[in-house]
Coordinates of all heavy atoms in Angstrom, one line a residue:
V201 N -85.3 -38.4 99.6 CA -84.3 -37.5 99.7 C -84.4 -36.6 98.4 O -84.7 -37.0 97.3 CB -82.9 -38.2 99.6 CG1 -81.7 -37.3 99.5 CG2 -82.7 -39.1 100.8
R202 N -84.2 -35.3 98.6 CA -84.2 -34.3 97.5 C -82.9 -33.4 97.6 O -82.6 -32.9 98.6 CB -85.4 -33.4 97.6 CG -86.7 -34.2 97.5 CD -87.9 -33.7 98.1 NE -87.9 -32.3 98.7 CZ -88.7 -31.5 98.4 NH1 -89.8 -31.6 97.6 NH2 -88.7 -30.2 99.0
F203 N -82.2 -33.4 96.5 CA -81.0 -32.7 96.5 C -81.3 -31.3 95.9 O -82.0 -31.1 95.0 CB -80.0 -33.4 95.6 CG -79.5 -34.7 96.1 CD1 -79.8 -35.8 95.5 CD2 -78.7 -34.7 97.2 CE1 -79.4 -37.1 96.0 CE2 -78.3 -35.9 97.8 CZ -78.6 -37.1 97.2
I204 N -80.7 -30.2 96.6 CA -80.9 -28.8 96.2 C -79.6 -28.3 95.7 O -78.6 -28.4 96.5 CB -81.4 -28.1 97.4 CG1 -82.5 -28.7 98.1 CG2 -81.7 -26.7 97.0 CD1 -83.2 -27.8 99.2
E205 N -79.7 -27.6 94.6 CA -78.5 -26.9 94.1 C -78.2 -25.7 95.1 O -79.1 -25.0 95.4 CB -78.7 -26.5 92.7 CG -78.7 -27.5 91.7 CD -78.9 -27.1 90.2 OE1 -79.4 -25.9 90.1 OE2 -78.8 -27.9 89.3
F206 N -77.0 -25.6 95.3 CA -76.5 -24.4 96.3 C -76.8 -23.1 95.5 O -76.3 -22.9 94.4 CB -74.9 -24.7 96.4 CG -74.3 -23.4 97.2 CD1 -74.9 -22.7 98.2 CD2 -73.0 -23.2 96.9 CE1 -74.2 -21.7 98.9 CE2 -72.2 -22.2 97.6 CZ -73.0 -21.5 98.6
M207 N -77.5 -22.3 96.2 CA -78.0 -21.1 95.6 C -77.1 -19.9 96.0 O -76.7 -19.7 97.1 CB -79.4 -20.7 95.9 CG -80.5 -21.7 95.3 SD -82.1 -21.2 95.5 CE -82.4 -21.5 97.3
D208 N -77.1 -18.9 95.1 CA -76.4 -17.6 95.4 C -77.4 -16.7 96.0 O -78.0 -15.8 95.3 CB -75.8 -17.1 94.0 CG -76.7 -16.9 93.0 OD1 -77.7 -17.7 92.9 OD2 -76.5 -16.1 92.1
V209 N -77.4 -16.6 97.3 CA -78.4 -15.8 97.9 C -77.7 -14.6 98.6 O -77.1 -14.8 99.7 CB -79.2 -16.6 99.0 CG1 -80.4 -17.4 98.3 CG2 -78.3 -17.6 99.7
G210 N -77.6 -13.5 97.9 CA -76.9 -12.4 98.5 C -75.4 -12.5 98.5 O -74.9 -13.4 97.8
N211 N -74.8 -11.8 99.2 CA -73.3 -11.8 99.3 C -72.7 -12.3 100.5 O -71.6 -12.1 100.8 CB -72.8 -10.2 99.1 CG -73.2 -9.4 100.2 OD1 -73.9 -9.9 101.1 ND2 -73.0 -8.1 100.1
R212 N -73.5 -13.1 101.3 CA -73.0 -13.6 102.5 C -72.7 -15.1 102.6 O -72.4 -15.5 103.6 CB -73.9 -13.0 103.6 CG -75.3 -13.5 103.4 CD -76.2 -12.8 104.2 NE -77.4 -13.6 104.5 CZ -78.6 -13.1 104.7 NH1 -78.8 -11.9 104.9 NH2 -79.7 -13.9 104.9
N213 N -72.8 -15.7 101.5 CA -72.6 -17.1 101.6 C -71.5 -17.7 100.8 O -71.4 -18.9 100.5 CB -73.9 -18.0 101.4 CG -74.3 -18.0 100.0 OD1 -73.7 -17.4 99.1 ND2 -75.4 -18.8 99.7
Q214 N -70.6 -16.8 100.3 CA -69.4 -17.2 99.5 C -69.8 -18.0 98.3 O -69.0 -19.0 97.9 CB -68.5 -18.1 100.4 CG -68.1 -17.4 101.7 CD -67.2 -16.2 101.6 OE1 -66.2 -16.2 100.9 NE2 -67.5 -15.2 102.3
W215 N -70.8 -17.7 97.7 CA -71.4 -18.6 96.5 C -70.4 -18.4 95.3 O -70.0 -17.1 95.0 CB -72.7 -18.2 96.2 CG -73.3 -19.0 95.1 CD1 -74.1 -20.2 95.2 CD2 -73.3 -18.7 93.7 NE1 -74.4 -20.7 94.0 CE2 -74.0 -19.8 93.1 CE3 -72.7 -17.7 92.9 CZ2 -74.2 -19.8 91.6 CZ3 -72.8 -17.8 91.5 CH2 -73.6 -18.9 90.8
R216 N -70.1 -19.3 94.6 CA -69.3 -19.3 93.4 C -70.0 -20.4 92.5 O -70.3 -21.4 93.0 CB -67.8 -19.5 93.6 CG -67.1 -18.5 94.5 CD -65.6 -18.6 94.2 NE -65.0 -19.9 94.3 CZ -64.8 -20.6 95.5 NH1 -64.9 -19.9 96.6 NH2 -64.2 -21.7 95.5
P217 N -70.0 -20.0 91.3 CA -70.7 -20.9 90.2 C -70.0 -22.3 90.2 O -70.8 -23.4 90.1 CB -70.7 -20.3 88.9 CG -69.8 -19.1 89.0 CD -69.6 -18.8 90.5
E218 N -68.8 -22.5 90.5 CA -68.2 -23.7 90.5 C -68.5 -24.6 91.7 O -68.3 -25.8 91.7 CB -66.6 -23.6 90.2 CG -65.9 -22.7 91.2 CD -65.9 -21.3 90.8 OE1 -66.8 -20.8 90.1 OE2 -65.0 -20.5 91.3
L219 N -69.1 -24.0 92.7 CA -69.5 -24.7 93.9 C -70.9 -25.4 93.7 O -71.3 -26.3 94.5 CB -69.5 -23.8 95.1 CG -68.3 -23.1 95.5 CD1 -68.4 -22.3 96.7 CD2 -67.1 -24.2 95.8
V220 N -71.6 -25.0 92.6 CA -72.8 -25.6 92.3 C -72.7 -27.0 91.7 O -71.9 -27.1 90.7 CB -73.7 -24.8 91.4 CG1 -75.1 -25.5 91.1 CG2 -73.9 -23.4 92.0
V221 N -73.3 -28.0 92.2 CA -73.3 -29.3 91.5 C -74.5 -29.4 90.8 O -75.6 -29.6 91.5 CB -73.1 -30.5 92.5 CG1 -73.1 -31.9 91.9 CG2 -71.9 -30.4 93.5
P222 N -74.5 -29.4 89.5 CA -75.8 -29.4 88.7 C -76.5 -30.7 89.0 O -76.0 -31.8 89.1 CB -75.4 -29.2 87.3 CG -74.0 -28.7 87.3 CD -73.4 -29.2 88.6
S223 N -77.9 -30.5 89.0 CA -78.7 -31.7 89.4 C -78.4 -32.8 88.3 O -78.4 -34.1 88.7 CB -80.3 -31.4 89.3 OG -80.5 -30.6 90.4
R224 N -78.3 -32.5 87.1 CA -78.0 -33.4 86.0 C -76.9 -34.3 86.4 O -76.8 -35.5 86.2 CB -77.8 -32.8 84.7 CG -79.0 -32.2 84.1 CD -79.0 -32.2 82.6 NE -80.3 -31.5 82.1 CZ -80.4 -30.3 81.7 NH1 -79.3 -29.6 81.6 NH2 -81.6 -29.9 81.5
E225 N -75.8 -33.7 86.9 CA -74.5 -34.4 87.2 C -74.7 -35.3 88.4 O -74.4 -36.6 88.3 CB -73.4 -33.3 87.6 CG -72.2 -33.9 88.0 CD -71.1 -32.9 88.6 OE1 -71.2 -31.7 88.1 OE2 -70.4 -33.2 89.5
L226 N -75.5 -34.9 89.4 CA -75.8 -35.7 90.5 C -76.7 -36.9 90.2 O -76.5 -37.9 90.6 CB -76.4 -34.8 91.6 CG -76.3 -35.1 93.1 CD1 -74.8 -35.4 93.4 CD2 -76.8 -34.1 93.9
A227 N -77.7 -36.5 89.3 CA -78.7 -37.6 89.0 C -77.9 -38.7 88.2 O -78.3 -39.9 88.4 CB -79.7 -36.9 88.0
A228 N -76.9 -38.3 87.4 CA -76.2 -39.3 86.6 C -75.4 -40.3 87.6 O -75.3 -41.4 87.4 CB -75.3 -38.5 85.7
R229 N -74.9 -39.6 88.6 CA -74.1 -40.4 89.5 C -75.1 -41.4 90.4 O -74.7 -42.5 90.6 CB -73.4 -39.5 90.6 CG -72.1 -38.9 90.0 CD -71.6 -37.7 90.8 NE -71.3 -38.1 92.3 CZ -71.0 -37.3 93.2 NH1 -71.0 -35.9 93.0 NH2 -70.8 -37.7 94.4
V230 N -76.3 -40.9 90.8 CA -77.2 -41.7 91.5 C -77.6 -42.8 90.5 O -77.7 -44.1 90.9 CB -78.4 -40.9 92.0 CG1 -79.4 -41.9 92.6 CG2 -77.9 -39.8 93.0
H231 N -77.9 -42.5 89.2 CA -78.4 -43.4 88.2 C -77.4 -44.5 88.0 O -77.8 -45.8 87.8 CB -78.8 -42.7 86.9 CG -79.2 -43.5 85.9 ND1 -80.5 -44.1 85.9 CD2 -78.7 -44.0 84.8 CE1 -80.6 -44.8 84.8 NE2 -79.5 -44.8 84.1
A232 N -76.2 -44.2 88.0 CA -75.1 -45.2 87.7 C -75.1 -46.2 88.8 O -74.7 -47.4 88.5 CB -73.8 -44.5 87.7
R233 N -75.4 -45.9 90.0 CA -75.5 -46.9 91.1 C -76.8 -47.6 91.3 O -76.9 -48.8 91.5 CB -75.1 -46.0 92.4 CG -75.1 -46.8 93.6 CD -73.8 -47.2 94.1 NE -73.8 -47.8 95.5 CZ -73.6 -47.2 96.5 NH1 -73.1 -45.9 96.5 NH2 -73.6 -47.7 97.6
W234 N -77.9 -46.7 91.2 CA -79.2 -47.4 91.3 C -80.1 -46.8 90.1 O -80.6 -45.7 90.2 CB -80.0 -46.9 92.6 CG -79.2 -47.3 93.8 CD1 -79.1 -48.5 94.5 CD2 -78.4 -46.4 94.7 NE1 -78.4 -48.5 95.6 CE2 -78.0 -47.2 95.7 CE3 -78.1 -45.0 94.6 CZ2 -77.1 -46.6 96.8 CZ3 -77.3 -44.6 95.6 CH2 -76.9 -45.3 96.7
P235 N -80.2 -47.6 89.0 CA -80.9 -47.1 87.9 C -82.3 -46.5 88.2 O -83.0 -47.1 89.1 CB -81.0 -48.4 86.9 CG -79.8 -49.1 87.4 CD -79.6 -48.9 88.8
M236 N -82.6 -45.5 87.6 CA -83.9 -44.8 87.9 C -84.4 -44.0 86.7 O -83.7 -43.9 85.8 CB -83.7 -43.8 89.1 CG -82.6 -42.7 88.8 SD -82.3 -41.7 90.2 CE -81.4 -40.4 89.3
R237 N -85.7 -43.7 86.7 CA -86.2 -43.0 85.6 C -87.1 -41.9 86.1 O -87.7 -41.9 87.2 CB -87.0 -43.9 84.7 CG -88.2 -44.6 85.2 CD -88.6 -45.7 84.4 NE -87.6 -46.8 84.3 CZ -87.6 -47.7 83.4 NH1 -88.5 -47.7 82.5 NH2 -86.6 -48.7 83.4
P238 N -87.3 -40.7 85.3 CA -88.1 -39.6 85.8 C -89.5 -40.0 85.7 O -90.0 -40.7 85.0 CB -87.9 -38.5 84.6 CG -87.1 -39.2 83.5 CD -86.6 -40.5 84.0
I239 N -90.2 -39.4 86.8 CA -91.7 -39.6 86.8 C -92.4 -38.2 86.8 O -91.7 -37.2 87.1 CB -92.1 -40.5 88.1 CG1 -91.5 -39.9 89.3 CG2 -91.6 -41.9 87.9 CD1 -91.9 -40.6 90.6
A240 N -93.7 -38.3 86.8 CA -94.4 -37.1 86.7 C -94.5 -36.3 88.0 O -94.3 -36.8 89.0 CB -95.9 -37.4 86.2
Q241 N -94.7 -35.0 87.8 CA -94.8 -34.0 89.0 C -96.0 -34.5 89.8 O -97.1 -35.0 89.2 CB -95.1 -32.7 88.5 CG -93.9 -32.0 87.9 CD -94.4 -30.6 87.6 OE1 -95.4 -30.3 87.1 NE2 -93.5 -29.6 87.9

Side-chain angles (χ1 to χ4, degrees):
V201 174
R202 295 152 11 131
F203 293 111
I204 307 184
E205 290 176 346
F206 174 34
M207 292 188 287
D208 51 336
V209 281
N211 57 4
R212 53 197 203 205
N213 73 356
Q214 310 288 319
W215 185 90
R216 295 197 310 277
E218 54 275 22
L219 298 180
V220 178
V221 181
S223 291
R224 283 206 186 103
E225 176 186 328
L226 207 50
R229 281 169 53 192
V230 176
H231 178 74
R233 175 100 173 262
W234 300 284
M236 56 182 191
R237 63 195 66 199
I239 52 173
Q241 290 182 317

